[in-house]
Amino acid sequence: MATAYINGKIYTMKAEGDLCSAIVVEDGKFLYCGTDEEAKRIAEGGEVVDLHQAPVLPGMIDTHQHLFAYARDRLKLNLKKAESLEQLLEMIRQRAEETPDGQWIVGAGFDHERFIDRKELPTKEELDRVCPNNPLIITRYCLHINVANSLALKAGGIGPGFQPKVPGTVEFGPDGQPTGTLRDAAGADIVALAPDPLATQEGKKDAVEAACHELNRHGLTGVHAIQGLHCNLPEYTDVYQDLADEGRLTARVYLGFDRFPGCNIRTGLGNDMVKYGFYKLYVDGNMGGRTALLTEPYEDDPSTCGIPNYTQEELDAQVKKAYDMNLQVGAHVIGDKAAEMLTTAIEHARADRPNTDPRCFRMIHMSLLNQDVVDRIAKLPVVVDIQPMFVSTNVRWSETRVGHERSKYHYCWRKLLDNGMILSAGSDNPCESYDPMHGTYAIVTRQGMDGYPDGGWFPEERVSVYEAISMYTRNAAYVSYEEDLKGTIEAGKLADFVILDADVFHIEPEKIKDITVEKTYLGGKLVYAKN
């Protein structure tokens, strides 16, 4: 039986300003988009829902999340609200008092750059003082930096003279003792020692189901879930498939893995709910931990240009192998040198078999660029997956890493748009807020959530609201080869749509972050309602 939704402000996202007042949904798809009168006629005998002029958007899609890690982190000690080192240590102390001696404590979500007392990572000695009887490791919100206490380091065999698998990922003090700071793979190895609260299949499924319901609360009906084992960010295809088979999966999942598939599959295998998406590479680290790979040294640490995860030859080989296997390639690049390396690898991969479809190569993050890289990628068929919230959360310290002049190319997404690039938007959850209204606010205003700085940070790089929402809808569907299925509100497409409490296109930019979702529908089925 068809259902008509009438008297709405339905933004189809087919083109800027394209509106209709009514839609008809039947069998999980949009049957009609147009006028109230025709919608009621088509749905005669079915339900008619009055939208009362509420704004409607296509279901939004987050093109970069570590979804299982988010589901898992919801069970950890949440340190996101720590505004000072003192508060962080107190939160740990309280958890340690409640935890039996010897039992692991794992925390996540803190950002030392936000601390009001000392913008430095805690040391193992400070962690030891508040947690002396339990192995403890805490992970910065970026997921690339960890700090462990002495018991956790001992459990991992890390002491003087320890040689990590990746040079530079274990920090040592002048006395040769580990400081407790671990980066990327070194931290992931310690985290992996803690007992897994989601060891069973049912436990994993329950956690992911709950996490997807949280995504629905913010208007998300699709997510690109990405594995990163070197940062202890697993994903499990069978978990999503089981949930879909049981009717418990409330977001469409497009998967990325940082390992090659064990059989001859290619991008797109699956169905409307769960698909194999792409092969993921991590070219460098992150800016917060100074492991992002730069062409010139860091402004606040001239001793380093960051840490590469590959030589150019190794990266060339990985990209070429995936390309020849007909796998979509997605590569994490934060620094401008990493962006140069990836650009070179793509150029080499295409040398013998040029492609014209830009979706073959996804350049992920692209945080710091330079003019040479911008000019080179503008000539390539690539798409860029950005994380809008990076601007908002990093605005107070980004320039300290690379200085004012280089920061002109920090999150320079206006330049990419003006060069004809196709951009999609993701959150890097659990690193950042996955609320698309937060992300839209971030790149429309170029400000932190507190409004800093006045007028926006490098305001010439701002984007329009339509461009921002497109990144979460039509562009997001495009990068996963699903533009004929979703991303816009059109007859024949999947009936994924969202009702908002305010019109994102007709509201002051600084208020976009306060918009909330009234209802979220997946395939015409209500999966979230505010009241």
Side-chain angles (χ1 to χ4, degrees):
M1 187 72 73
T3 300
Y5 298 83
I6 65 168
N7 189 29
K9 294 178 66 178
I10 301 169
Y11 292 94
T12 69
M13 293 304 295
K14 291 189 299 181
E16 187 167 6
D18 191 71
L19 276 166
C20 66
S21 64
I23 52 176
V24 178
V25 174
E26 187 175 43
D27 295 330
K29 294 186 176 182
F30 295 116
L31 181 63
Y32 170 78
C33 310
T35 66
D36 293 351
E37 292 75 16
E38 184 65 7
K40 288 187 284 188
R41 186 193 68 78
I42 292 172
E44 186 175 359
E47 184 181 5
V48 177
V49 178
D50 190 337
L51 295 171
H52 300 289
Q53 282 295 292
V56 177
L57 293 176
M60 288 176 279
I61 304 162
D62 187 313
T63 58
H64 190 100
Q65 283 201 22
H66 305 290
L67 183 51
F68 183 80
Y70 167 61
R72 181 187 61 196
D73 282 2
R74 295 177 76 236
L75 305 178
K76 294 181 180 179
L77 172 60
N78 187 342
L79 300 171
K80 286 187 176 182
K81 293 184 179 180
E83 297 181 351
S84 66
L85 177 61
E86 181 181 3
Q87 186 177 11
L88 175 84
L89 295 173
E90 177 59 21
M91 294 167 76
I92 294 170
R93 185 192 64 77
Q94 290 180 12
R95 175 60 68 91
E97 287 183 350
E98 303 166 355
T99 306
D101 288 357
Q103 184 172 309
W104 277 83
I105 298 174
V106 180
F110 77 95
D111 181 7
H112 65 290
E113 297 286 352
R114 293 179 53 241
F115 290 172
I116 59 176
D117 51 357
R118 191 185 86 193
K119 298 184 185 301
E120 297 176 7
L121 294 168
T123 65
K124 75 172 186 294
E125 289 79 14
E126 288 169 326
L127 297 184
D128 288 345
R129 282 199 293 272
V130 295
C131 186
N133 302 316
N134 303 85
L136 165 74
I137 185 165
I138 59 174
T139 304
R140 187 174 182 264
Y141 83 99
C142 65
L143 305 179
H144 290 268
I145 303 174
N146 308 265
V147 190
N149 71 353
S150 294
L151 288 178
L153 292 172
K154 181 180 180 181
I158 297 176
F162 177 80
Q163 297 294 321
K165 291 181 291 187
V166 180
T169 55
V170 176
E171 184 179 281
F172 294 91
D175 59 357
Q177 294 287 339
T179 65
T181 296
L182 311 169
R183 293 180 170 85
D184 293 324
D189 288 345
I190 300 299
V191 172
L193 296 176
D196 184 2
L198 301 178
T200 68
Q201 183 77 349
E202 286 306 313
K204 290 182 176 69
K205 286 159 56 177
D206 289 345
V208 169
E209 180 182 22
C212 286
H213 282 302
E214 283 298 301
L215 303 189
N216 300 150
R217 190 162 69 90
H218 296 278
L220 290 167
T221 57
V223 59
H224 294 196
I226 300 169
Q227 177 173 275
L229 291 181
H230 84 296
C231 288
N232 191 33
L233 303 171
E235 291 291 349
Y236 300 95
T237 307
D238 58 341
V239 168
Y240 297 111
Q241 289 178 315
D242 282 356
L243 289 173
D245 290 345
E246 296 164 15
R248 296 165 58 190
L249 188 61
T250 59
R252 305 184 193 277
V253 178
Y254 186 81
L255 288 156
F257 289 97
D258 58 344
R259 288 182 174 175
F260 286 107
C263 54
N264 294 324
I265 65 171
R266 58 181 181 268
T267 292
L269 179 69
N271 55 34
D272 293 347
M273 289 304 300
V274 182
K275 284 186 180 179
Y276 174 80
F278 62 97
Y279 172 62
K280 174 73 184 291
L281 292 133
Y282 291 81
V283 182
D284 63 348
N286 80 324
M287 198 67 70
R290 298 182 188 85
T291 53
L293 189 62
L294 311 184
T295 56
E296 300 175 21
Y298 281 84
E299 187 82 6
D300 56 353
D301 187 356
S303 69
T304 183
C305 290
I307 301 175
N309 291 327
Y310 300 94
T311 65
Q312 185 66 62
E313 292 73 22
E314 290 169 340
L315 182 61
D316 288 354
Q318 292 295 299
V319 172
K320 183 70 162 60
K321 179 179 179 180
Y323 181 58
D324 288 344
M325 291 173 65
N326 292 312
L327 301 178
Q328 188 181 43
V329 181
H332 162 120
V333 287
I334 297 288
D336 58 343
K337 181 61 178 177
E340 287 182 0
M341 290 178 65
L342 177 59
T343 302
T344 297
I346 293 171
E347 290 169 343
H348 289 170
R350 297 181 64 249
D352 298 329
R353 185 168 61 90
N355 73 297
T356 56
D357 191 330
R359 293 169 291 191
C360 288
F361 301 104
R362 297 172 61 162
M363 307 181 88
I364 299 170
H365 304 315
M366 300 294 278
S367 296
L368 179 70
L369 302 176
N370 57 53
Q371 190 59 51
D372 178 63
V373 171
V374 172
D375 291 341
R376 288 172 66 190
I377 64 175
K379 298 174 184 177
L380 291 173
V382 297
V383 293
V384 181
D385 295 341
I386 70 166
Q387 285 61 55
M389 281 299 292
F390 282 9
V391 177
S392 189
T393 57
N394 299 351
V395 68
R396 288 187 180 271
W397 57 264
S398 289
E399 284 191 51
T400 66
R401 291 291 189 269
V402 298
H404 182 77
E405 283 304 308
R406 280 192 285 174
S407 283
K408 293 177 181 178
Y409 287 86
H410 219 158
Y411 315 123
C412 60
W413 299 320
R414 175 81 267 156
K415 288 184 179 67
L416 299 186
L417 288 170
D418 290 345
N419 274 276
M421 304 298 297
I422 297 171
L423 274 60
S424 73
S427 61
D428 212 0
N429 177 41
C431 299
E432 303 282 1
S433 167
Y434 51 80
D435 188 328
M437 294 299 109
H438 291 175
T440 297
Y441 161 86
I443 50 176
V444 169
T445 67
R446 302 275 300 189
Q447 293 175 312
M449 297 296 280
D450 59 358
Y452 174 87
D454 290 341
W457 188 62
F458 293 101
E460 65 273 16
E461 295 296 336
R462 290 182 297 207
V463 309
S464 72
V465 175
Y466 176 73
E467 289 169 327
I469 296 298
S470 292
M471 296 178 196
Y472 287 103
T473 55
R474 55 183 298 164
N475 293 7
Y478 174 81
V479 301
S480 60
Y481 302 89
E482 296 174 298
E483 68 272 22
D484 292 334
L485 291 175
K486 56 189 182 183
T488 57
I489 295 176
E490 298 182 70
K493 290 192 175 183
L494 297 168
D496 301 345
F497 61 102
V498 176
I499 302 173
L500 303 177
D501 70 348
D503 190 336
V504 67
F505 296 107
H506 294 92
I507 194 173
E508 296 89 340
E510 63 271 15
K511 293 182 179 179
I512 291 174
K513 66 180 185 297
D514 301 319
I515 295 175
T516 61
V517 171
E518 295 288 341
K519 292 181 179 180
T520 301
Y521 292 83
L522 181 79
K525 178 183 177 182
L526 182 68
V527 291
Y528 168 74
K530 184 185 293 185
N531 297 316

